[in-house]
Amino acid sequence: QVQLMESGGGLVRTGDSLTISCVPSGRIDTIVSVAWFRQVPGKERRFVAALRWAGGDSYYTDSVKDRFFASRVIVNSTAFLQMTALRPEDTAVYYCAATTSNVLYTADFYKYWGQGTQITVSS
């Protein structure tokens, strides 16, 4: 089992930056990738970014490329999503997720989920 604890989030203005963190615990050795999905009311969770836990390679949906940056610190088992140049359309609940599979972009393949954190970007 893996547990995920998220922190960060809040209310920011257009153009601001914000970093959220995700701390996995438990069977960290089984994690292949950590990802962030976001969800707005009435819509499905959508992939935002992911990183391979072992190698650190990162992947992004087109709308956040060159604005969002995923990283991790192995020593204290923490993953970060640095978000820059935030836009009102980035407003959502952001969820950290972990998978033991090689699939990156599909929420159904992520077995472990954090509690979610609200990010609101005002115009």
Side-chain angles (χ1 to χ4, degrees):
Q1 292 289 325
V2 174
Q3 296 79 41
L4 300 170
M5 179 62 68
E6 298 182 64
S7 62
L11 174 63
V12 297
R13 295 179 179 179
T14 297
D16 281 354
S17 298
L18 189 68
T19 298
I20 55 179
S21 63
C22 176
V23 181
S25 60
R27 290 294 309 275
I28 298 173
D29 59 302
T30 63
I31 296 175
V32 174
S33 300
V34 170
W36 284 268
F37 290 78
R38 63 188 180 188
Q39 187 173 27
V40 297
K43 298 288 183 67
E44 293 182 349
R45 290 183 189 183
R46 294 198 172 190
F47 174 82
V48 177
L51 58 86
R52 296 295 193 190
W53 194 249
D57 291 341
S58 55
Y59 307 83
Y60 305 93
T61 191
D62 287 346
S63 63
V64 308
K65 280 180 182 176
D66 300 322
R67 297 192 300 122
F68 289 14
F69 305 96
S71 62
R72 89 275 187 261
V73 177
I74 291 292
V75 171
N76 58 5
S77 298
T78 302
F80 301 95
L81 184 65
Q82 180 188 14
M83 301 174 285
T84 67
L86 282 161
R87 306 166 180 168
E89 54 264 38
D90 294 320
T91 295
V93 177
Y94 283 71
Y95 294 91
C96 173
T99 182
T100 58
S101 78
N102 285 314
V103 177
L104 276 175
Y105 305 107
T106 307
D108 289 347
F109 285 87
Y110 286 79
K111 185 176 181 180
Y112 307 107
W113 291 85
Q115 77 277 18
T117 186
Q118 175 71 48
I119 294 175
T120 302
V121 185
S122 64
S123 57

